[in-house]
Amino acid sequence: MYTNRNPFGGNQFGNQNPFDDLLKKKKEKEKEPEAYDSNGKKIRKKPPYKRMVAALIVIFAVITGMNSYYVLDEDNYAVVTTLGNPQAVSKAGLHFKIPYVQNVRLVSKIITGMPIGYDIETKASIDEESVMITKDFNFVNTDFYLEYMVSDPVKYLYASQDPEATLKMLAQSYIRDTVGIYTVDDVITTGKAAIQSEIKEKLTNRMIQEDIGLSVVNITIQDAFPPTEEVMNAFKNVENAKQGKETAINNANKDRSEKIPQAEAECDQIIKEAEAEKQSRINEAQGQVSRFEQMYAEYSKYPLITKQRMFYETMEDVLPSLKVYIVDEAGTQKMLPLDSFMDMPAGQGSQPVPSPQQPAAGAGQEQTQNTEQQGN
């Protein structure tokens, strides 16, 4: 076999061998001057493999020191596993562990949400999860949002292979079971609160039985609507009508609350006025009764004198407003001005003619004296 290599440092064409440079550098290093310390002792250089061992030891010590502690915040649990025995740590702060023996895994404490029936990023509906049948055999498209949190970090990590998937499967089962006992009108309009409460109660009890370290915080209906546009419009009209009804009822209640106090105030005012009128009339009647009793007492003592006094007082009230018209045979009317007679001084004018029924002066005096004697 032909070759152009020359064992003496070159080739047959005069080219230099590439290994010559390495040999020359090695010889130059061997010819370097030896180093001595301050005492005159020769300094021996450490072999390269000893430097590598020292570097590895330092690196191992650093890694061991970094693995001997961990820092726990308020939002996480720490599950420390020692030779296969897990233990939960919830106190925040700096904690120490045995390197390469204890393993630490962090589990979040915060509440986590899970969409059911739709994609949380695109908001697109997932028909396999959202479309379900109601009690009255109608289809409804319902989206739910489930909130949960880790209650036991050890069981969360080791009691189930995928606890979130188990929770979602159970939630879908109870959602379909609960929606199936309500009518489509209840699911879309008035029954949402009852459906949410019932699903939460069932799912919470089931998660306690499963004991996989998760607890249900809340579940809400994000949206519920019929799968067809025509039915959706019909339900919107029903909902608008119900809202109009509620608005009318609220307005009527407001009007009632405004008018009832006004009517009650008017009623109280009328009652007070009636009570005042009643008391006034009672007082007036009592006064009249008191005057009549006094008058009757005086009348009982002096009947004739009392009758005359009452007659004179009545005439004093009647005569000033009385007008007398005299009609003669020719039909001429003349008015007799009684006012002038009332204003006439005593002693003027003709003396009044006593009527046939009026007794004479002496007889009247005698009658008066007889009356006084009878009273005495």
Side-chain angles (χ1 to χ4, degrees):
M1 183 175 179
Y2 177 77
T3 178
N4 60 357
R5 296 290 184 183
N6 189 348
F8 298 101
N11 53 31
Q12 61 183 357
F13 299 104
N15 296 329
Q16 187 177 359
N17 193 328
F19 294 101
D20 294 341
D21 295 334
L22 296 176
L23 295 173
K24 290 181 180 180
K25 291 179 180 180
K26 186 176 181 181
K27 292 178 180 180
E28 290 176 358
K29 289 182 180 180
E30 293 177 353
K31 292 181 180 180
E32 289 180 359
E34 295 180 353
Y36 296 91
D37 57 6
S38 60
N39 296 327
K41 294 182 179 180
K42 184 179 179 181
I43 299 175
R44 295 182 180 181
K45 294 182 179 180
K46 295 182 179 180
Y49 69 89
K50 291 185 178 181
R51 295 179 183 177
M52 293 177 63
V53 171
L56 291 175
I57 292 174
V58 172
I59 294 173
F60 178 78
V62 171
I63 294 174
T64 302
M66 293 177 64
N67 288 331
S68 63
Y69 72 94
Y70 62 94
V71 179
L72 186 62
D73 56 13
E74 295 289 344
D75 295 333
N76 292 287
Y77 294 105
V79 178
V80 181
T81 305
T82 306
L83 300 177
N85 183 21
Q87 184 179 3
V89 178
S90 59
K91 185 178 180 180
L94 180 64
H95 300 270
F96 294 95
K97 67 184 184 71
I98 303 173
Y100 311 109
V101 175
Q102 292 181 327
N103 185 24
V104 178
R105 294 180 64 180
L106 298 180
V107 179
S108 177
K109 291 182 181 179
I110 62 175
I111 297 174
T112 308
M114 177 190 299
I116 299 176
Y118 69 101
D119 189 349
I120 195 171
E121 295 181 356
T122 62
K123 306 299 180 181
S125 180
I126 303 175
D127 295 339
E128 293 80 4
E129 298 179 359
S130 62
V131 177
M132 55 195 72
I133 191 169
T134 60
K135 179 181 178 181
D136 50 356
F137 302 104
N138 287 310
F139 288 97
V140 63
N141 195 329
T142 310
D143 299 335
F144 286 83
Y145 189 77
L146 174 63
E147 293 177 305
Y148 65 95
M149 64 181 297
V150 176
S151 58
D152 190 333
V154 176
K155 293 179 180 179
Y156 171 77
L157 292 176
Y158 300 106
S160 176
Q161 184 175 1
D162 193 349
E164 283 85 0
T166 303
L167 175 62
K168 185 174 183 179
M169 180 185 64
L170 293 175
Q172 289 177 338
S173 176
Y174 286 116
I175 286 172
R176 293 185 179 276
D177 179 63
T178 306
V179 171
I181 62 176
Y182 285 86
T183 62
V184 65
D185 186 42
D186 293 335
V187 175
I188 295 177
T189 56
T190 59
K192 291 183 178 180
I195 293 173
Q196 293 172 175
S197 178
E198 189 170 347
I199 294 173
K200 180 182 177 182
E201 182 179 0
K202 292 179 180 179
L203 188 57
T204 300
N205 295 333
R206 182 59 184 274
M207 293 304 296
I208 293 174
Q209 294 177 2
E210 294 295 330
D211 197 17
I212 57 175
L214 291 179
S215 61
V216 178
V217 177
N218 194 19
I219 184 167
T220 56
I221 298 178
Q222 295 296 101
D223 197 5
F225 52 89
T228 59
E229 189 69 23
E230 293 80 4
V231 179
M232 186 184 302
N233 293 331
F235 275 100
K236 287 182 179 179
N237 294 333
V238 171
E239 187 67 20
N240 293 333
K242 289 182 179 180
Q243 292 179 0
K245 174 186 174 182
E246 294 295 331
T247 302
I249 292 174
N250 293 334
N251 293 334
N253 291 332
K254 179 182 178 182
D255 193 17
R256 182 184 66 176
S257 62
E258 291 176 354
K259 289 186 176 180
I260 286 178
Q262 183 179 358
E264 290 177 350
E266 294 177 357
C267 179
D268 292 340
Q269 183 67 24
I270 293 172
I271 292 174
K272 289 180 180 178
E273 292 177 356
E275 292 290 340
E277 183 69 18
K278 170 186 173 182
Q279 191 64 33
S280 176
R281 292 191 179 187
I282 290 174
N283 295 334
E284 184 180 357
Q286 291 177 349
Q288 292 178 359
V289 170
S290 178
R291 287 193 299 271
F292 180 78
E293 290 177 350
Q294 293 175 3
M295 188 181 297
Y296 180 75
E298 295 296 329
Y299 175 78
S300 299
K301 295 178 181 179
Y302 310 103
L304 182 59
I305 296 174
T306 304
K307 286 181 181 180
Q308 290 178 355
R309 183 175 60 79
M310 292 176 64
F311 176 77
Y312 293 151
E313 291 177 354
T314 303
M315 290 299 104
E316 287 178 358
D317 294 336
V318 173
L319 290 178
S321 61
L322 182 66
K323 296 183 181 296
V324 179
Y325 293 89
I326 301 174
V327 181
D328 58 7
E329 296 178 354
T332 303
Q333 296 182 359
K334 294 181 181 180
M335 183 177 70
L336 181 62
L338 297 180
D339 296 339
S340 61
F341 289 100
M342 298 296 295
D343 297 336
M344 185 179 296
Q348 295 184 3
S350 60
Q351 295 294 330
V353 179
S355 62
Q357 299 178 354
Q358 182 177 1
Q365 293 176 358
E366 292 177 357
Q367 186 177 2
T368 302
Q369 292 175 0
N370 294 332
T371 304
E372 292 177 354
Q373 292 176 358
Q374 292 177 0
N376 295 328

